[in-house]
Amino acid sequence: MKVTTEGCILGAWIASTSPKRILDIGTGTGLLSLMLAQRYDCPIEAVEIDKLTANQAQSNFQNSKWKNRLTIHPLDINDFVQKSTKSFDLIVSNPPFFSSNFKSKNAAKNLAVHDEYLPQGMLLTSIKSTLTENGKAFIIYPEYEADQIKKIADEYGLHATEALVIKNKPGSTVFRKIIALTKKLPLEKPAQELHIRNGQNEFTQEYVDLLKPFYLHL
């Protein structure tokens, strides 16, 4: 469960207006929850199906200055939705996306990266059930999966309002896409584009400006 570039970009790019409660679906070791705790002064609840990973997230939460606002639930998201009566103004997820039958021998890794453990329909249903009427959800996927979830979101009563297209360098293929979803039918904004590095293989200024509040050295 390493700290990934796409996870950091997602946590930094998310924008919300003073959320009262945040939900992190598939938190892993808690990266997104910790980044959002740094930005928003509200309770954050994180759901992680793998118990060992959830224990690591709990340890990370307890060793942070925001521990009193962070809660980990070692549950399947369906179980969490059935048990919880809360709604959330901001929902985030860096979900698994591999659909191949070829899996590693590491069960925890399979949970983290294979979408059968959190298929898009289940994720959208969970978001619809827990998102406030004026709330917003942010999901990050590779390009194909991002375009796919954008197409089917309407079937679940959710609508894409904005997107960030992430590329390693100008002219390269799409590395990841962040999709923002709401319950209200919005006027969709043109997708933004972020390049991690420039033609000289140096970090771009836009990448540095986005991540600098979270990195010790950049």
Side-chain angles (χ1 to χ4, degrees):
M1 305 299 177
K2 295 180 180 178
V3 173
T4 61
T5 299
E6 63 261 34
C8 292
I9 292 174
L10 173 60
W13 189 72
I14 287 169
S16 181
T17 305
S18 302
K20 295 179 181 178
R21 188 178 286 114
I22 296 172
L23 174 63
D24 180 2
I25 300 176
T27 190
T29 53
L31 170 69
L32 288 175
S33 291
L34 288 163
M35 292 182 74
L36 294 173
Q38 180 176 328
R39 299 174 59 191
Y40 300 114
D41 186 16
C42 69
I44 299 174
E45 304 205 27
V47 179
E48 173 54 49
I49 188 173
D50 182 70
K51 287 183 170 54
L52 289 177
T53 307
N55 288 341
Q56 182 64 69
Q58 175 67 12
S59 176
N60 291 337
F61 291 170
Q62 288 300 309
N63 282 289
S64 77
K65 64 173 69 175
W66 311 289
K67 60 184 179 181
N68 293 331
R69 295 193 284 110
L70 292 160
T71 304
I72 183 73
H73 300 274
L75 296 171
D76 176 278
I77 186 60
N78 281 334
D79 293 335
F80 174 80
V81 171
Q82 290 174 11
K83 293 178 180 180
S84 177
T85 58
K86 298 173 183 176
S87 56
F88 300 86
D89 308 289
L90 176 60
I91 299 177
V92 298
S93 184
N94 183 0
F97 56 83
F98 284 126
S99 57
S100 170
N101 290 325
F102 297 101
K103 298 178 181 177
S104 75
K105 295 180 180 179
N106 186 320
K109 184 176 181 181
N110 289 331
L111 280 172
V113 302
H114 285 274
D115 68 357
E116 70 183 81
Y117 301 102
L118 185 56
Q120 291 189 342
M122 182 190 297
L123 179 58
L124 291 171
T125 298
S126 302
I127 291 172
K128 177 66 185 300
S129 298
T130 53
L131 189 66
T132 61
E133 289 303 312
N134 295 311
K136 190 177 288 187
F138 291 82
I139 308 168
I140 189 167
Y141 273 119
E143 183 178 27
Y144 173 79
E145 288 80 5
D147 291 344
Q148 188 177 44
I149 203 168
K150 181 180 176 182
K151 288 178 182 177
I152 68 172
D154 286 343
E155 301 173 17
Y156 294 83
L158 297 166
H159 313 284
T161 178
E162 55 192 307
L164 178 69
V165 177
I166 305 167
K167 296 183 177 181
N168 284 312
K169 294 180 181 180
S172 65
T173 58
V174 175
F175 171 56
R176 293 287 187 271
K177 266 189 179 182
I178 300 173
I179 303 292
L181 300 170
T182 65
K183 287 185 174 180
K184 294 187 174 181
L185 192 60
L187 179 63
E188 187 174 354
K189 301 176 183 177
Q192 300 178 44
E193 193 165 293
L194 173 70
H195 301 124
I196 298 172
R197 295 180 180 272
N198 58 26
Q200 291 72 48
N201 206 35
E202 301 168 332
F203 288 128
T204 62
Q205 192 59 50
E206 58 185 341
Y207 177 81
V208 171
D209 291 344
L210 182 66
L211 273 300
K212 201 167 186 178
F214 303 97
Y215 280 31
L216 293 176
H217 305 286
L218 186 62

